[in-house]
Amino acid sequence: MLVLGLDIGSRTVDAVWLEDGRVADHVVTDTGFDPRAVAEALLTRARFDRLVATGYGRHVARDAFGAEVVTEITAYARGAAHLFPGAGSVLDIGGQDTKVISLGEDGKVADFEMNDKCAAGTGRFLEVMARALGFGLDQMATEALTARSGVGISSMCTVFAESEVTGLVHRGEDRARIARGLHESVAGRTCTALGRVRARGPLVFAGGVANNAAMVELVRAGFDGDVLVPENAQTVGALGAALSASAANG
Amino acid sequence: MSENVATDYGRMWAELGMNLPAHCALMNAIPTMYENAYLTQSDRPAGMAYFDFVMSEIHGLRIKELVDHKTAGGKVVGTFCLYVPEEIIRAHGAVGVGLCAGAEWGYNEVEKVLPRNTCALIKSFMGFKMDRVCPYVESADLLVGETTCDGKKKAYELLGEMADVYVMELPQMKRDRDREFWRAEVREFVMRLEELTGKTMTAESLTAAIAEVNGKRRALQRIAAARAADPAPISGKDALLATQVAFYDDVPRFTAMVNTIADELDARVAAGEGAAAKGAKRVVLTGSPMAIPNWKTHDIIEKAGGVVVGEEMCTGSRYYDTLVPETPGASLDEMIDEVADKYLGINCACFTPNDARCSDVVQMASDLGADGIVHYSLQFCGPYQIEAVQVERAARDVGVPFLKIDTDYSAEDVGQLSTRIEAFLEML
């Protein structure tokens, strides 16, 4: 049986085709302004027997394509536990959400926390800050790693932090140190959230921001336990969605 | 509401000094909210037709009744909180009404005065008053506030510049001397009502008021008890609406209607019929109050396939769980003490310590066979946001899954809330 897992997020639409429990193909595409059309294009790319959607646009996929739906929380937990059996927790920092998930012994969700309505500390936050610093996203991470210490950033709100960064730039502060400070601020708050859900190691760090080397290094420094980054960090949710269909079927 | 009826009420609203264009906009918004949340439900108890009618006439027929009552020489007393003893208001021949504070309205006006990071409930009642869109506020002869939080306390001072406001001081602890203090505070309220109504409360009038209000609370207790069944015979949304309407509806009529619904629920339970599917995940909600038309959290939970089986909140069990003792032959003084003590027994997060609320929540979850507890706080409502920590510990101690949400009346976080609530239901 061929199952398509679709993770329709705010920044990317990710797809995983699972054939008899093995990944047959996977794709990451930009969400753009028409997530439904992007999802529809993926549906025509290869055949499938069942479709499960997760992510911000899951309900759209249910209404438009009759997809089964599962939340990102359950999908990321399932995908992470599949890739790393014995994982204790999951961190997913995506485009506009951050999720911390504590897994039980059975690999299922035991507790979780997710940011409220604002995009504080998410991928979007880092994008806006990179622009304020005149860096590309990858470049900001590289620069952050060159700085020995970060400038303290007190705002977590994207709008306030942007003003704060602009102020620091105007004062002539080193951009690499600001970049490091921004990453430290996000990593610090992320580790606090992990503590609140009593996350055990090993921690699986997934989602788009797991591709950011500075974030991975700082989360590793702040988390009490191993931090594992999957090879395809962005498709863990789509994989989990596809797996949940297989499980329900089996 | 139809065009004709609206026009008939137009003069009444104008005479109450309301802002008609703004009110018209509000009246256009509420039916849509109600339809989306309520009329899309299936398998509702037939008796809920009464509440559909009440909602369609929320600023119409009930306001006309209040105006008629005033014309006949009666008084209307508006309240914001269930600590203001409604038995005392009724015993003076006055009608008590809970005031509108459940919608994001008039915020542009409010935020010219109040800080933006004020809780939604305070902004809402200030917005309704500043924009003059709530006919309950406008028909009230006296608004009665209480010191259940610092934000309300300060806002009442500003409200007092626009209306006649009386504030009761609620103690924040429950020691003997706090009880004495509160009893004295209730007696001062009696004096204020005597002054307002020109009537003297008697043992007879208070006895009758206590019996009537107890009857209303007993009827609501029957609905609450029926919700222990699986499948739940009534949706959480419908049960919440009944409690919300209890704050302002005519007491004898409301009691009769709710008892009719409770009879229907008993029959449904006996027949195994439900408003939700058997085996649907059962949730107990606890936290800040939900005033009309705040149905947001219930709506998300129930549209995600869960069912709310109980509310440990002011618009829930705290309103109807306890009764004033009906002691034959008691003197007026003894009855006033009993009224005061009943209210001081309510467990609001404004008290310290407030361990009894944690026990109440856990007990409710156990009695109703809940699969999980959702703690709901209004943003910037410090007492509930912080007390969520103690409630979460109590839930963990008995192994009941717990989800905490902070929100307000806006729709902007519905996407994120849906994800968290659906994930919570998937986890149960």
Side-chain angles (χ1 to χ4, degrees), chain A residues 8-13 29-32 94-96 123-124 127:
Chain A
I8 307 177
S10 65
R11 304 296 288 155
T12 60
V13 179
T29 50
D30 276 345
T31 305
Q96 66 177 25
R124 185 78 195 143
E127 273 181 7

Side-chain angles (χ1 to χ4, degrees), chain A residues 130 135-145 183 211-214:
Chain A
F135 286 142
L137 200 51
D138 292 341
Q139 191 191 3
M140 178 167 73
T142 317
E143 292 287 335
L145 287 172
H183 285 83
N211 294 324
N212 176 316

Side-chain angles (χ1 to χ4, degrees), chain B residues 321-339:
Chain B
D321 255 6
T322 56
L323 305 176
V324 178
E326 294 176 55
T327 319
S331 68
L332 181 60
D333 246 5
E334 287 164 343
M335 280 193 282
I336 294 175
D337 285 346
E338 284 182 333
V339 168

Side-chain angles (χ1 to χ4, degrees), chain A residues 77-90:
Chain A
R78 199 178 280 272
H82 175 80
L83 293 171
F84 301 101
S89 52
V90 185

Side-chain angles (χ1 to χ4, degrees), chain A residues 58-59 71 74 111 116-117, chain B residues 396 408 420 422-423 426:
Chain A
R58 65 188 180 284
H59 295 131
T71 62
T74 304
D111 198 3
D116 294 329
K117 58 189 166 189
Chain B
R396 280 187 190 284
D408 56 22
R420 290 162 70 194
E422 284 172 36
E426 286 168 357

